[in-house]
Amino acid sequence: MNHVTPLSKWCVVGNTPIPDLAPLARSADLDGLHAYYRGPDGAVLPDGPFALDIGTLTLHQSTRHEDHRSFLRVEPETVTVRVSPLNEDPVYYAVNRLRGLFAYFTDLLLAPLVLPALGKSVEFTHTSPVHGTDTPLLGVRRLPYGVLTRTQLRGGETWLTDASYEYDPLAGFRAPHRDDPLSAGEAQIKALTAEIERIDRTTPDGIRYATLLSGGIDSGTVTYLMATSGLSVTPYSVGTPWGDELADAAELCAELGIGLEPVQLTEDQIVASIPEAVRWLGVTEPEVVEVALTATTVQRLGAIPEDRVLLTGYGSDLINAGLYRPYDHRDDLIEQVLTAVDRTRYSNELSNRMPLAYGTTTHHPFWSWPVMRVALETAPECKVREGREKYHLRAAMGTRLPEPIAWRRKIAVHHGGGLQQGVIRRLEKETGTEERGRFYAACFAELVLRVAGGELEPADPWSLFEAAVRRVRDGADGR
C-alpha cells in the first residue's frame, strides 16, 4: 500500500474577492458575488446562476427540502444555503459586520485564506467548543442543521441575511412504537435493502462495490444484503497490532461464497493518519478523531481501489444501540440514541469531505433517512434485550444466517477500544502528557499554519505529526 495524495474539493462564495483562492480553483463573478469552486473530476461552474449539492459538490438540479439534502444556490445579488437536518457535510461562514463582508465555505481549512480577505485575522479559540456550531477558529461558525439562510443585496449597497429553521425530525421520536423485535428488524432490513437498491440505481453500470467488514452485525448486514442482491462486492477487513476480526469476517464471507480482502495496518500507519483525520473532520474531540482513524488510514493508503464504490456499516451504532445498563429507564435509552444522533450532526464523522478528496464514492446506508426513521421508531426494549445490543437486527438476520454469525458477541478491537487504547499509549509516549486532546488541537493548529503558508493539502504525514508533538511539548498546541 502506498500513500495516496488527496485533492480537497470545495466551494467558497462571498461578496469580496479572495485572491489566495484564485490560483487554486475555478472562479466566477456574479453581480457582486465571487465564487471559487474546486469540484470533482474537473467540474466547472456555469456562467450564470448555479446550485450545488453540498454532499457531492456537483450541480444540483433540485432544491427540494424533502430530500434531506444540503445545497448552496448563487443567483444575482443573492446566496441561499440550506443545511440538511442530518447536517453531515458542513457549511461554514465568516462575516466582518463593520465592513459588510461575508463568505460561505465548505472546508474549514480554507479559513486562513478566506479570513484575511474579509479583513479578519486568523486566531484560535483556545477552548473546547461549547456548541456544535463552534469551530476551533475565532470568527468562523458552522451553519446549524435545518437552517435556510438567504443573504441578499438590498438597496444596491447593504447585504442582509434572513434565516428560517425547519422542524427537527428527531423531535418526533420520543415515543417509538415498533415494539416487536423481529418485525422491527425486518422493517429495518427492508429499508436498508431499498437504500442499497437506490445507491445501485445511481451508480454507473459496471462499477464494483466494496464494504468495510468487521465482525459486527452492522457491516455484516450491509455485506449480506449486497451479496444476496447479486451485486459484485468485495469485503475488506482491517487488522491492527491491537487485534482484528478477520476470522469473524471470513466466516460470513464463507457463508456468502465471496472472498475477503484482509488489510493489515501497522501502528505507525495508523498514528501517521491522525493529522489527516483532524484535517477532514475539522474537529479535535479525541473520541471523534479516534473513531475516524481506521477509515482515514484505509483511504490514505489506498487499501481499497478507488474505482470501487464503498459501503459501510457506520451510523448503525448511533441509531440502533444504547448502552445496556439494567437500571436504565426506557426514556434514558431513547434519550441516549437521540443525543448520539444529534451530536453526530456536528461531528463530521459521516461527512463526504475525505472521500471527495480521494476521488472515491462512499455511502453509509444506515445514515440514510428512511433507515434512520425505522430505527428511531423502534422501542429500546427491542434494541437492548437479554444483555444483547441490536437485538432486533440480530433477530431478523438470525433468520438468514447461522446463529453464531448473527448473534456473535463482538469484542471491540480496531474500530473501538483496542485501537483507541493503542493510540492513547503511543501519544502519551510521544507527547509526555495524558491530555491527548492537546495533540489533536496541535495537529489542527499546524494544519492551519501550513495552509496560511500556501500548503493546502496534507503533505508528509510525519512532518505534520512531529510538528504537532513539538507544539504540545512546547505548550503551543493551539488551545
Side-chain angles (χ1 to χ4, degrees):
M1 294 182 290
N2 297 310
H3 178 223
V4 180
T5 302
L7 183 68
S8 58
K9 311 297 192 300
W10 37 264
C11 183
V12 181
V13 177
N15 64 342
T16 187
I18 306 176
D20 288 337
L21 293 181
L24 304 174
R26 300 175 184 273
S27 59
D29 295 338
L30 293 94
D31 296 311
L33 291 170
H34 304 267
Y36 301 87
Y37 174 67
R38 193 156 80 178
D41 301 323
V44 298
L45 294 177
D47 294 333
F50 66 89
L52 290 180
D53 181 310
I54 297 297
T56 63
L57 285 182
T58 56
L59 291 178
H60 192 30
Q61 303 303 320
S62 170
T63 53
R64 296 179 296 118
H65 290 194
E66 60 268 24
D67 63 6
H68 288 280
R69 294 192 178 195
S70 301
F71 66 79
L72 182 151
R73 186 169 61 229
V74 178
E75 304 165 278
E77 302 181 348
T78 305
V79 183
T80 304
V81 182
R82 187 261 181 162
V83 177
S84 159
L86 302 183
N87 201 25
E88 311 98 317
D89 296 298
V91 178
Y92 304 95
Y93 72 99
V95 298
N96 184 331
R97 300 190 189 282
L98 287 176
R99 295 176 56 181
L101 303 178
F102 70 87
Y104 292 99
F105 47 108
T106 62
D107 187 338
L108 182 59
L109 262 292
L110 295 175
L113 307 180
V114 172
L115 291 175
L118 302 181
K120 298 177 69 71
S121 58
V122 180
E123 300 179 58
F124 299 101
T125 59
H126 302 291
T127 59
S128 298
V130 175
H131 188 270
T133 57
D134 294 339
T135 76
L137 294 173
L138 285 173
V140 180
R141 305 279 290 182
R142 175 177 179 159
L143 290 177
Y145 63 82
V147 70
L148 181 72
T149 69
R150 180 172 288 106
T151 302
Q152 203 165 22
L153 185 63
R154 308 282 178 84
E157 58 182 29
T158 303
W159 291 89
L160 297 177
T161 298
D162 297 318
S164 59
Y165 295 86
E166 299 175 36
Y167 171 76
D168 184 359
L170 288 189
F173 296 100
R174 296 192 178 277
H177 62 271
R178 297 181 185 272
D179 55 10
D180 177 72
L182 181 58
S183 63
E186 290 291 347
Q188 187 166 136
I189 288 174
K190 181 179 179 181
L192 277 168
T193 301
E195 174 62 12
I196 290 169
E197 290 173 348
R198 184 200 67 78
I199 292 169
D200 190 47
R201 285 195 305 272
T202 59
T203 299
D205 292 342
I207 296 295
R208 293 182 295 172
Y209 294 91
T211 60
L212 274 179
L213 179 62
S214 67
I217 192 67
D218 312 317
S219 58
T221 297
V222 171
T223 301
Y224 172 90
L225 293 176
M226 296 182 71
T228 56
S229 296
L231 300 179
S232 175
V233 58
T234 300
Y236 292 76
S237 190
V238 173
T240 79
W242 309 290
D244 63 60
E245 295 168 294
L246 298 177
D248 293 343
E251 187 177 9
L252 173 62
C253 291
E255 179 71 21
L256 294 172
I258 58 178
L260 176 70
E261 291 287 338
V263 179
Q264 293 287 352
L265 301 179
T266 68
E267 179 176 324
D268 276 356
Q269 287 172 333
I270 293 168
V271 298
S273 297
I274 293 175
E276 197 157 321
V278 171
R279 189 257 181 275
W280 301 120
L281 289 167
V283 301
T284 59
E285 285 76 9
E287 290 77 12
V288 174
V289 175
E290 288 146 11
V291 165
L293 283 179
T294 298
T296 304
T297 308
V298 167
Q299 289 269 27
R300 187 174 70 83
L301 298 179
I304 299 176
E306 65 178 28
D307 61 349
R308 290 184 181 267
V309 172
L310 175 65
L311 275 70
T312 80
Y314 294 167
S316 177
D317 281 343
L318 302 165
I319 60 177
N320 284 319
L323 299 176
Y324 178 71
R325 297 180 296 188
Y327 51 83
D328 268 337
H329 189 272
R330 181 177 192 267
D331 290 345
D332 294 332
L333 291 173
I334 295 172
E335 192 63 32
Q336 283 181 31
V337 172
L338 294 178
T339 299
V341 173
D342 179 55
R343 184 174 59 247
T344 305
R345 292 192 283 195
Y346 289 113
S347 71
N348 297 340
E349 294 170 60
L350 301 172
S351 164
N352 201 36
R353 296 285 77 84
M354 181 172 66
L356 271 176
Y358 282 99
T360 60
T361 301
T362 301
H363 299 279
H364 310 294
F366 280 101
W367 197 249
S368 67
W369 183 244
V371 179
M372 295 175 71
R373 183 172 58 241
V374 172
L376 296 175
E377 290 171 349
T378 300
E381 53 266 30
C382 293
K383 298 178 179 180
V384 182
R385 181 177 291 196
E386 300 175 11
R388 302 305 304 274
E389 39 80 43
K390 302 171 192 169
Y391 186 96
H392 62 306
L393 194 54
R394 297 180 189 279
M397 289 304 294
T399 67
R400 296 164 170 82
L401 290 170
E403 187 273 343
I405 297 177
W407 292 93
R408 178 184 294 120
R409 289 186 180 273
K410 180 180 178 182
I411 301 175
V413 288
H414 63 268
H415 292 302
L419 181 147
Q420 185 178 36
Q421 292 305 313
V423 169
I424 289 172
R425 289 192 296 270
R426 174 66 177 267
L427 292 184
E428 287 179 3
K429 179 180 177 181
E430 295 277 355
T431 64
T433 177
E434 296 180 357
E435 299 178 68
R436 65 192 192 279
R438 291 180 56 196
F439 177 75
Y440 300 138
C443 287
F444 184 82
E446 185 62 26
L447 285 161
V448 169
L449 180 66
R450 303 267 178 119
V451 172
E455 185 182 349
L456 179 57
E457 312 303 338
D460 175 12
W462 285 114
S463 171
L464 288 163
F465 184 93
E466 292 163 0
V469 168
R470 289 194 296 272
R471 281 180 173 272
V472 175
R473 289 188 173 273
D474 295 343
D477 48 276
R479 293 182 62 175

